[in-house]
Amino acid sequence: MNWSYYILMGAGVAAMVIGLLFSAARSRKAKAAHPQLSMDEMNQTLQRFVLQIKQETEEEQRKVKRVLIQQREELEEAKERLAAAEKELAALRQAGNRAPAAKPQESQPEERADMLAMRERYRRVFELHEEGLSPDEIAKRLGAGRGEIDLILSLASPRERGMAHEQN
């Protein structure tokens, strides 16, 4: 029995030595795979990173300055166009004040013809509506837009709608 204890103790010690050797070999492999950077290498890497950030920041600042200058130029150009437009408007207003009163009378026949054409168009819209046509069908027949027909029908007073019916 005495010898059996020695043999078991020897086997246990051998197992522990083998385990330590394997763990030492693993730690060497891990160190080889992930070498630790020295302080100098870390400082150099950090300095390169900081330098790169500074360069990118300076480039972005230059871009912002260029955009700012461009916007200022566009603003000045817009101010000049506005001033020119205001001068032109003032000149047109002065010319309108000096214009003879006969001009509006010359355009009255044209305005009267336009007004008669509009009334005829409205009358025709109401007639077709009274016949039971939909706004889409009315628009197709008159060659007008659906929105125009809807607007005419919605804005017309009942009296105007009745006038179309009375003139038939």
Side-chain angles (χ1 to χ4, degrees):
M1 219 159 94
N2 235 353
W3 286 101
S4 63
Y5 284 117
Y6 289 119
I7 292 175
L8 284 175
M9 281 180 59
V13 169
M16 289 175 60
V17 168
I18 291 173
L20 286 173
L21 289 175
F22 278 128
S23 69
R26 275 193 200 155
S27 66
R28 278 189 226 130
K29 284 182 182 178
K31 285 181 180 178
H34 302 291
Q36 290 186 351
L37 296 176
S38 69
M39 288 299 279
D40 291 337
E41 291 172 332
M42 286 175 45
N43 280 336
Q44 289 175 353
T45 303
L46 186 58
Q47 287 174 356
R48 282 193 303 262
F49 178 70
V50 169
L51 180 64
Q52 182 181 2
I53 295 294
K54 283 182 181 178
Q55 290 171 346
E56 290 174 358
T57 302
E58 290 171 355
E59 179 62 29
E60 291 301 318
Q61 287 174 344
R62 285 192 291 273
K63 286 180 184 178
V64 168
K65 285 179 183 178
R66 283 193 299 262
V67 168
L68 185 61
I69 289 170
Q70 182 182 6
Q71 287 179 342
R72 285 181 183 160
E73 290 171 354
E74 290 174 1
L75 179 62
E76 289 302 317
E77 185 178 308
K79 285 180 181 179
E80 291 171 3
R81 287 193 312 239
L82 178 62
E86 286 175 345
K87 286 180 184 178
E88 185 177 336
L89 178 61
L92 288 173
R93 284 182 178 163
Q94 286 179 352
N97 290 340
R98 288 188 224 145
K103 266 193 174 180
Q105 292 174 358
E106 291 173 6
S107 65
Q108 277 184 351
E110 292 174 11
E111 289 176 9
R112 185 171 169 83
D114 287 344
M115 185 66 86
L116 290 174
M118 275 189 357
R119 284 187 181 170
E120 177 61 26
R121 185 177 187 95
Y122 290 171
R123 186 187 64 75
R124 187 75 180 126
V125 167
F126 296 131
E127 284 177 359
L128 293 173
H129 185 66
E130 288 291 322
E131 291 176 15
L133 295 175
S134 70
D136 284 331
E137 293 169 332
I138 296 172
K140 285 179 186 175
R141 281 207 186 165
L142 297 180
R146 163 72 191 264
E148 180 183 355
I149 302 303
D150 287 338
L151 184 65
I152 291 170
L153 292 173
S154 67
L155 294 179
S157 69
R159 191 180 121 261
E160 290 173 323
R161 290 184 197 135
M163 285 175 43
H165 186 55
E166 291 171 4
Q167 290 178 359
N168 282 340

